[in-house]
Amino acid sequence: MKDRMEVFLSMFREEMPEYICRLERKALAEEVPIIRRGTQDVLRYFLRTGKPAKVLEVGTAVGYSALFMRECLPESSRITTIEKVEMRLTEARKNFAAHDPDGRIRLLAGEAGEVLHGLAEAKDTFDFIFLDAAKGQYLSFLPDILAILAPEGILISDNILHEGDVLESRYAVTRRDRTIHGRMREYLQELTSHEQLETLCLPVGDGMTVSQKKKRA
């Protein structure tokens, strides 16, 4: 049913530029994790309707999602994206050089937690944040993310179901995945109960949340 639904919905999706499709095919062939079609749909909707001026992505990989978001944003918008893996950084730089001629994407190299903390200390703010990095670290990233997310800004967190493991009892998942299982459940509890956030959980792709930061009183 899920495969049939995906095929059916694909009939109604906007076609993206050929270079985006080419990057997607290359990433899938090389087993590089990139955002799924359902995740793309949600990102496209919020970027097109909200038109955020400043976007932050945590987890660049090869730059596919940053370039996808670039295609969904006004020319005046800017994207900052964070990556630590040197092999991924090399590929992302190459892709940005080829497909971001006007320099709308800024790539920051380093551990996500350290970079986020630096942005928070600099009192930088973003209207839209896409979190797609180390799943076990989402909870530790949250304080700095909240510090840099503008009032009424949107935070989208991807892969919250971790291939369905988060739905299971911790004893039903492999021992090596139990830490991520527990931390992701804690993260979801924090998001959905946090006084600064209004959060929606979506069973799209590998699961995602959409959180809006409330206005200051």
Side-chain angles (χ1 to χ4, degrees):
M1 176 61 75
K2 190 172 182 179
D3 290 341
R4 288 178 59 199
M5 181 173 66
E6 179 59 34
V7 171
F8 177 76
L9 292 176
S10 68
M11 297 165 52
F12 306 101
R13 288 193 175 108
E14 173 187 334
E15 287 190 19
M16 297 303 288
E18 173 53 30
Y19 85 88
I20 291 285
C21 300
R22 188 168 62 251
L23 289 175
E24 180 182 49
R25 290 193 296 269
K26 184 174 187 291
L28 292 174
E30 295 175 356
E31 298 185 344
V32 175
I34 59 172
I35 54 174
R36 306 183 190 199
R37 294 291 178 87
T39 306
Q40 294 176 28
D41 293 341
V42 174
L43 287 175
R44 182 190 294 110
Y45 174 82
F46 279 97
L47 295 174
R48 288 272 173 82
T49 58
K51 299 179 174 57
K54 292 180 65 180
V55 173
L56 174 66
E57 175 185 48
V58 187
T60 312
V62 296
Y64 173 81
S65 48
L67 288 166
F68 175 87
M69 290 192 289
R70 182 184 183 278
E71 292 294 330
C72 301
L73 288 164
E75 290 185 6
S76 58
S77 296
R78 295 294 180 267
I79 300 169
T80 298
T81 183
I82 303 168
E83 180 57 53
K84 70 171 183 177
V85 179
E86 189 56 44
M87 180 175 64
R88 301 284 191 240
L89 284 165
T90 299
E91 193 68 18
R93 290 187 183 109
K94 186 189 308 181
N95 289 330
F96 294 156
H99 305 296
D100 180 38
D102 50 357
R104 289 160 55 190
I105 301 174
R106 174 178 62 152
L107 177 58
L108 300 180
E111 292 280 349
E114 295 176 8
V115 177
L116 287 169
H117 193 63
L119 292 171
E121 287 191 327
K123 299 189 185 309
D124 208 345
T125 58
F126 296 87
D127 310 299
F128 185 99
I129 298 177
F130 179 48
L131 179 56
D132 188 21
K135 314 312 167 192
Q137 299 303 313
Y138 279 16
L139 186 61
S140 64
F141 294 158
L142 190 58
D144 285 324
I145 284 176
L146 286 175
I148 62 179
L149 183 62
E152 298 191 283
I154 297 292
L155 164 65
I156 291 186
S157 308
D158 201 14
N159 304 111
I160 61 160
L161 298 181
H162 201 245
E163 301 296 341
D165 282 352
V166 175
L167 301 174
E168 305 292 341
S169 160
R170 71 184 301 269
Y171 299 106
V173 300
T174 59
R175 185 179 296 274
R176 66 185 176 84
D177 287 333
R178 286 179 186 171
T179 299
I180 293 177
H181 176 277
R183 288 180 179 174
M184 185 57 76
R185 285 195 169 202
E186 287 182 56
Y187 178 70
L188 290 173
Q189 183 62 45
E190 184 70 12
L191 280 186
T192 54
S193 62
H194 201 289
E195 62 180 9
Q196 287 185 269
L197 297 173
E198 188 67 42
T199 296
L200 172 68
C201 300
L202 296 173
V204 174
D206 188 29
M208 59 196 307
T209 55
V210 178
S211 305
Q212 184 173 43
K213 188 175 181 181
K214 297 174 183 177
K215 276 186 176 181
R216 295 188 182 94

